[in-house]
Amino acid sequence: QMELVESGGGSVQPGGSLRLSCAASGYARWMGWFRQAPGKEREGVASIYTDFGTTYYAASVKGRFTISRDGATNTLYLQMNSLKPEDTAMYYCAAADGVLGPLSKLSYNYWGQGTQVTVSS
């Protein structure tokens, strides 16, 4: 059973930055970040194929967010720059051994509890 613990959320003004961290209890071939705003579906933000370091991004965050992983500590990161109010959501870390789609929530079977990100002036 994989355990995932997120940290690093908070409140920031538009244009600001935050870095989310996810401590994983073990190795997973796929890891990703998802977010869910009130009244909306959970959506994929970014994911990484850990064996090769291949990354995938949602169009809405490409060029602003960067996903990375420290293999020595099994820690996943999401660097978020140029944050916008529409980035406000609960952010979740997820892991899987195999996926049908890198950003499909249906592919991931391990989830963290989430960390809140609020972007507001």
Side-chain angles (χ1 to χ4, degrees):
Q1 184 75 13
M2 172 82 71
E3 291 188 0
L4 303 168
V5 180
E6 303 96 335
S7 61
S11 295
V12 64
Q13 292 187 340
S17 298
L18 282 174
R19 188 175 82 153
L20 305 183
S21 300
C22 171
S25 62
Y27 165 83
R29 188 164 286 113
W30 288 89
M31 296 193 75
W33 288 99
F34 291 74
R35 67 186 181 187
Q36 188 167 16
K40 294 190 176 182
E41 292 286 325
R42 189 172 297 188
E43 63 175 355
V45 174
S47 65
I48 185 167
Y49 181 47
T50 60
D51 284 357
F52 296 145
T54 311
T55 57
Y56 302 83
Y57 295 94
S60 58
V61 306
K62 200 167 188 178
R64 300 188 298 123
F65 291 10
T66 302
I67 188 171
S68 62
R69 176 180 170 268
D70 183 337
T73 61
N74 284 326
T75 302
L76 185 72
Y77 299 100
L78 184 68
Q79 178 66 44
M80 304 185 295
N81 298 329
S82 302
L83 282 161
K84 305 176 181 180
E86 51 264 42
D87 295 317
T88 296
M90 185 72 78
Y91 282 71
Y92 297 91
C93 176
D97 290 324
V99 299
L100 295 177
L103 296 177
S104 168
K105 64 180 183 287
L106 299 178
S107 296
Y108 291 79
N109 48 340
Y110 299 106
W111 294 88
Q113 293 300 305
T115 185
Q116 178 68 38
V117 171
T118 302
V119 184
S120 173
S121 55

